[in-house]
Amino acid sequence: MIEKIIVLDFGSQVTQLIGRRLREINVYCEIYPYNKIPNLDDSVKGLILSGSPCSVRDSGAPFVNLDGIKGHIPILGICYGAQFLAQNFGGEVNASIAREYGRAMLTVRGNSPLLQGVSARSQVWMSHGDTIARLPEGAEVIASTDDVENAAYHIKGEETYAVQFHPEVFHTTEGTRILSNFALGICGCKGDWTPDSFIETSIKELQSTVGNDKVILGLSGGVDSTVAAVLLNRAIGHNLTCIFVNNGLLRKNEFEDVLASYKDMGLNVIGADASAEFISALAGVSDPEDKRKIIGRLFVETFDKYASRIENARWLAQGTIYPDVIESASVNGTAAKIKSHHNVGGLPEKMNLKIVEPLKSLFKDEVRRVGRALGIKDELIGRHPFPGPSLGIRIIGDVTEEKLSVLREADDIFIKGLRSYTLEGNKAAIEALAGPGAEFVRSASDPSIHAKTLYDAIWQAGVILLPVQSVGVMGDERTYERTAALRAVISTDGMTADWVHLPYDFLAKVSNDIINKVRGVNRVVYDISSKPPATIEWE
């Protein structure tokens, strides 16, 4: 039985960060909507109440019944969670005269286990319009800020703690220590949830769940499906069959390169080339949603065609990861469908298959760490995310073979350029990416290591072919050709993203190479939009 911390989500935009910080100290946690509290068996070592956009003073404010829980297992209330504990256990919460949003300086009072090792004065991040005017009975203040007396408190006689600030965010400089004090110290977690322990536990669970049944998995060449495939292969061996569909919209040489990369991994992979069918079906279609539907429908049909040849298959494996699971149940309790590109839409029902999702408890960075522990090559583990509809949504407008050829060549130049641009010793590039005085840049796929190239430093990159032609001059002749837009973003999970400050010398070389080497493009632009308000992909 894996020991865990349960996080109850009251709707905060940063609840996932609580989970990520706990996982970083090797403590397993699960996040649930506040109104779907799970059974708290002996494996649950503590409970965290998250922040919320709501006020505890509102009618209909989120409420959870803590009878039989509070005083029996350790609890940490964060922001709204701290106010909830005060409001519902004898304290008082009022609208704040001195509201706190942003950075504040915390002063530690006393010697609380929660703040053990925390500096006497340290920066924290506040985000609240209410304040705790009176603490619950038996509570003691353990930290204050200049404007908020009850910034952190402990209820004596039980392991119940609360903080008005957000220890999970980057701007709380000693937040990880606070969460570590709670999880490892107060809750007594061992901190032994590592990639190796995950692999060992998962293999046993997969063998128990699947038994001798046959499993089918749709490979995309991406990180999630690759790690899921290797993990399943460790568990059930030849009973796993992987299908990699060529939809005709992949990057240059991608179908052949991905199949070749799997050859020495011991996987049973079927390459399904349906490129002609996809391109034909997309002819004349410009609406992005229509393109997505056509690509999704044909993928299901192609996958079904090849999968139906596998006799006695009982399971469909998917590379669903934990953020997808969290998103599938909103805080108000209404279920939402997992993003369509994370599942093989319609296939489980059509083929009467059961679903197995070996990575559904992992965040993206954890998937990569598990992949490395499984011995998967860095070239696969470090691959950027790639949209399910592939280049079909990176061509704005209708899709043709000629446009695909132009886009593939431009994209190949961009991606190869990112891979070959070395950061080590390149002070100007490092400072462009990380700011003056920076000595190195973190890898986007694993922040615990340094990025060696621009590709490593970026979460996702690609070229978009625009339906815009402009006048140019080549060899003293007038041209009227297409525009290619470069896109490169940094992110942790794709939910939000910021554009990357690519070095000017790199942009100059890539622009020059694309215009000189790709017939049909005479102008290159760089997208400097963040998400939100923009999205990573243009369609």
Side-chain angles (χ1 to χ4, degrees), residues 5 13 20 29 40 43 78 107 156 205 212-213 226 237 246 253 262 350 383 390 436 469 492-493 500 509 533:
I5 302 287
Q13 293 182 341
R20 294 178 68 85
C29 71
L40 302 182
S43 68
I78 294 175
T107 299
K156 292 183 282 189
E205 290 179 352
N212 291 320
D213 293 345
T226 298
N246 181 7
N253 301 325
Y262 286 128
K350 183 175 182 179
R383 276 176 63 102
S390 309
Q469 291 180 281
T492 55
D493 51 21
V500 178
K509 184 177 188 310

Side-chain angles (χ1 to χ4, degrees), residues 17 20 339 364-365 368 384-385 442-447 456-461 487-500 530-532 536:
L17 285 179
R20 294 178 68 85
K339 296 176 183 178
K364 190 79 171 185
D365 53 338
R368 287 191 165 104
H384 291 175
R442 300 281 185 188
S443 167
S445 65
D446 188 347
D456 299 332
I458 291 168
W459 168 267
Q460 188 169 343
R487 183 73 159 138
V489 299
I490 187 69
S491 179
T492 55
D493 51 21
M495 302 293 289
T496 60
D498 199 5
W499 62 280
V500 178
S530 297
K531 176 187 179 182
I536 296 176

Side-chain angles (χ1 to χ4, degrees), residues 27 60 72 145 170 186 202 294 307 362 368 385 450 471 501 522 528:
V27 173
H72 294 272
T145 70
F170 172 79
I186 295 166
S202 296
I294 290 169
L362 300 182
R368 287 191 165 104
H450 300 171
V471 174
H501 294 239
N522 70 352
I528 58 169

Side-chain angles (χ1 to χ4, degrees), residues 246-266:
N246 181 7
N247 58 15
L249 307 169
L250 302 177
R251 287 172 161 171
K252 185 177 180 180
N253 301 325
E254 186 167 22
F255 185 59
E256 296 78 11
D257 289 347
V258 169
L259 286 177
S261 68
Y262 286 128
K263 276 187 177 179
D264 61 350
M265 296 173 64

Side-chain angles (χ1 to χ4, degrees), residues 459-539:
W459 168 267
Q460 188 169 343
V463 177
I464 299 92
L465 191 64
L466 305 185
V468 175
Q469 291 180 281
S470 62
V471 174
V473 178
M474 290 185 180
D476 295 327
E477 294 185 2
R478 177 185 184 276
T479 62
Y480 191 61
E481 294 179 335
R482 294 189 178 92
T483 300
L486 310 181
R487 183 73 159 138
V489 299
I490 187 69
S491 179
T492 55
D493 51 21
M495 302 293 289
T496 60
D498 199 5
W499 62 280
V500 178
H501 294 239
L502 291 176
Y504 288 151
D505 63 327
F506 171 80
L507 287 171
K509 184 177 188 310
V510 167
S511 173
N512 190 63
D513 286 348
I514 290 174
I515 291 171
N516 286 338
K517 297 177 182 179
V518 181
R519 186 175 296 275
V521 174
N522 70 352
R523 192 174 300 271
V524 173
V525 298
Y526 185 47
D527 182 350
I528 58 169
S529 309
S530 297
K531 176 187 179 182
T535 53
I536 296 176
E537 300 294 339
W538 283 40
E539 288 193 341

Side-chain angles (χ1 to χ4, degrees), residues 190-410:
K190 298 182 183 69
D192 58 0
W193 196 73
T194 63
D196 287 332
S197 68
F198 171 82
I199 291 168
E200 181 181 354
T201 301
S202 296
I203 288 174
K204 291 177 181 177
E205 290 179 352
L206 288 167
Q207 290 171 337
S208 174
T209 301
V210 174
N212 291 320
D213 293 345
K214 291 186 177 179
V215 179
I216 304 170
L217 182 143
L219 272 179
S220 66
V223 177
D224 300 338
S225 67
T226 298
V227 175
V230 173
L231 189 58
L232 276 160
N233 190 54
R234 288 273 186 97
I236 63 173
H238 66 277
N239 280 336
L240 171 69
T241 300
C242 303
I243 299 174
F244 179 36
V245 175
N246 181 7
N247 58 15
L249 307 169
L250 302 177
R251 287 172 161 171
K252 185 177 180 180
N253 301 325
E254 186 167 22
F255 185 59
E256 296 78 11
D257 289 347
V258 169
L259 286 177
S261 68
Y262 286 128
K263 276 187 177 179
D264 61 350
M265 296 173 64
L267 296 176
N268 178 21
V269 182
I270 297 172
D273 189 353
S275 51
E277 291 92 326
F278 278 82
I279 303 304
S280 176
L282 288 169
V285 179
S286 296
D287 182 84
E289 194 57 32
D290 290 342
K291 288 193 288 187
R292 287 177 181 273
K293 288 177 180 176
I294 290 169
I295 294 167
R297 173 178 59 80
L298 284 176
F299 180 86
V300 169
E301 292 176 2
T302 305
F303 192 94
D304 182 31
K305 175 182 173 182
Y306 283 84
S308 62
R309 300 172 185 173
I310 302 168
E311 296 182 359
N312 301 319
R314 296 286 182 267
W315 298 84
L316 177 69
Q318 296 185 163
T320 307
I321 62 176
Y322 198 43
D324 310 324
V325 175
I326 297 171
E327 289 170 23
S328 71
S330 65
V331 88
N332 62 16
T334 57
K337 185 178 180 181
I338 293 174
K339 296 176 183 178
S340 59
H341 64 274
H342 286 295
N343 56 50
V344 188
L347 272 176
E349 296 82 7
K350 183 175 182 179
M351 300 176 65
N352 194 29
L353 296 176
K354 294 179 285 186
I355 297 292
V356 59
E357 298 167 314
L359 308 179
K360 66 181 180 181
S361 66
L362 300 182
F363 289 102
K364 190 79 171 185
D365 53 338
E366 293 173 325
V367 174
R368 287 191 165 104
R369 285 199 288 272
V370 167
R372 289 190 176 93
L374 286 166
I376 300 173
K377 294 175 287 189
D378 278 344
E379 66 189 72
L380 286 171
I381 291 301
R383 276 176 63 102
H384 291 175
F386 189 57
S390 309
L391 298 181
I393 57 166
R394 290 188 178 173
I395 293 174
I396 310 302
D398 66 320
V399 178
T400 67
E401 287 279 17
E402 185 266 338
K403 290 179 183 177
L404 280 167
S405 177
V406 171
L407 179 55
R408 284 193 181 102
E409 293 301 324

